[in-house]
Every structure is written in structure tokens, then in C-alpha cells.
Amino acid sequence: MGIISYIKSEIRTIRERDPAIKSNLEVLLYPGFKAILSHRVAHKLYLKEYYFMARWISQRTARKTGIEIHPGAKIGKGLFIDHGNGVVIGETAEIGNYVTLYQGVTLGGTGKEQGKRHPTIKDHVMISAGAKVLGSFIVGEHAKIGAGAVVLNEVPPNSTIIGVPRHVVKQGEISTYSDLNEEKTLCQFLQKPA
């Protein structure tokens, strides 16, 4: 894919996922767009072992956008970083196609792993604001990770994860978190007149 085709594809991705964007030109101001475009260049340099230049580009981009992507990270097509300030993506992270990350997301390590230290995010995953996904494991396709969740181990496909530590609250179409029903019952009880 040529650079013009790539840029058009990225513009289309952002316009499809962010209703606040009103024109293609506005996308050019978008921090997520700048960060991903810079990462593509830095990653190519990293693969050719021009490590200093790759890091220079990534660190310069981090200062300008607030989004830090290590040039070694592998990123598929259609990554959407919305309100990206504080996003950190580690060196051995792998991100599939059509993934959405919100502000403050960290795809990092725990400091205990050697080699592959960061998570692998499969296709069509959404990771909400402030979530921390730490360690070398897989987040399955179509998974959703809630705001502020701390995830330290594998996430099954089609799951919804919340909390600290993380809880699977939905697996496919099946709700797995019984406390939600208990909370609803408690709220109904508290609303009844004495």
C-alpha cells in the first residue's frame, strides 16, 4: 500500500469512528493520526536496525501528541486512538486490525518478563480510558476492556472486562457477573418506602 492510499485509509478509519470529526482536513490535526503515521515510519527504521532514528521519531512524536508508541511495537491496520493523551504502547506489544484505544491506556510490561514483555491485542478490541493491560498474554478478538481496568492475564474472545483486579462480566452474550443482579436488587430495596 502506497503512502497516499495509507493516509486515505487512516482518514476513513478516524471519520468512521469519531463523530466529532467534520472533515478530512480536520483529521490531519488529530493526535492519534499523527502518532500512528509517525509510528509507521519509526517502525520501518526499527526493523532496519536504525534504532536511534526510530527512537528519535517516536520520542519527538510523544512530546507533540502525548502518545508514546515504541518503534518496535507491531500495529495492524485501522488502529484508532481517540483522545490519545497518555497512551503508552510497549516495544513487544502487538496490535491487530481495527483496534480502538482511548486516553490513558497502557499496553505495558510488569517488569517480570524477558523477551516478549507486552500484550498481544487481537482484532476488533476496544480498550477504554485509563485501562492498564500489563504482561505478555493475548486479549482475544472482539473483547472490550472497561475504563480503569487492570488486566494482568489472558482475556477470552468476545468478553467484557471491568475492575481492579479485572472481572469477566460478559462472555459472548452471557452475563457472568452475578453481583450486578445483587446490586440491582439492593437498589430496588433501598428505593422502597419503609
Side-chain angles (χ1 to χ4, degrees):
M1 176 184 291
I3 189 72
I4 300 300
S5 298
Y6 171 75
I7 289 172
K8 285 181 179 179
S9 172
E10 290 298 318
I11 288 172
R12 195 169 35 256
T13 295
I14 291 170
R15 298 257 351 237
E16 286 170 0
R17 296 204 214 152
D18 188 349
I21 298 290
K22 306 296 186 223
S23 72
N24 289 349
L25 280 177
E26 196 176 345
V27 172
L28 302 177
L29 302 173
Y30 211 73
F33 174 78
K34 292 177 185 177
I36 294 165
L37 194 60
S38 293
H39 173 73
R40 301 290 184 202
V41 173
H43 186 66
K44 286 186 181 205
L45 290 169
Y46 184 87
L47 293 176
K48 293 179 181 180
E49 299 184 0
Y50 294 113
Y51 300 124
F52 178 81
M53 281 303 298
R55 287 290 279 191
W56 184 80
I57 290 169
S58 73
Q59 291 303 302
R60 188 169 184 261
T61 302
R63 283 192 305 277
K64 287 184 167 191
T65 64
I67 300 168
E68 184 174 343
I69 306 173
H70 191 285
K74 297 175 185 172
I75 297 176
K77 63 183 176 182
L79 173 63
F80 177 57
I81 301 175
D82 196 13
H83 303 288
N85 202 16
V87 168
V88 177
I89 301 172
E91 178 185 21
T92 62
E94 297 177 41
I95 300 175
N97 299 321
Y98 306 107
V99 169
T100 300
L101 305 177
Y102 289 94
Q103 69 272 17
V105 167
T106 299
L107 304 179
T110 63
K112 298 176 183 176
E113 294 96 354
Q114 299 291 320
K116 174 88 167 101
R117 305 178 310 280
H118 305 99
T120 297
I121 311 298
K122 294 293 189 174
D123 298 345
H124 303 281
V125 170
M126 184 201 64
I127 305 177
S128 297
K132 308 304 176 205
V133 184
L134 308 173
S136 179
F137 55 86
I138 294 173
V139 174
E141 292 180 342
H142 298 279
K144 294 178 182 172
I145 298 175
V150 176
V151 182
L152 301 173
N153 48 37
E154 193 157 327
V155 174
N158 302 303
S159 297
T160 301
I161 305 298
I162 64 167
V164 180
R166 64 101 163 173
H167 302 284
V168 178
V169 294
K170 190 174 182 186
Q171 180 97 33
E173 295 300 314
I174 301 166
S175 177
T176 60
Y177 194 55
S178 63
D179 289 346
L180 291 176
N181 293 331
E182 292 169 14
E183 183 177 321
K184 182 178 176 185
T185 304
L186 178 62
C187 289
Q188 289 170 340
F189 173 76
L190 292 174
Q191 291 175 352
K192 289 182 182 177

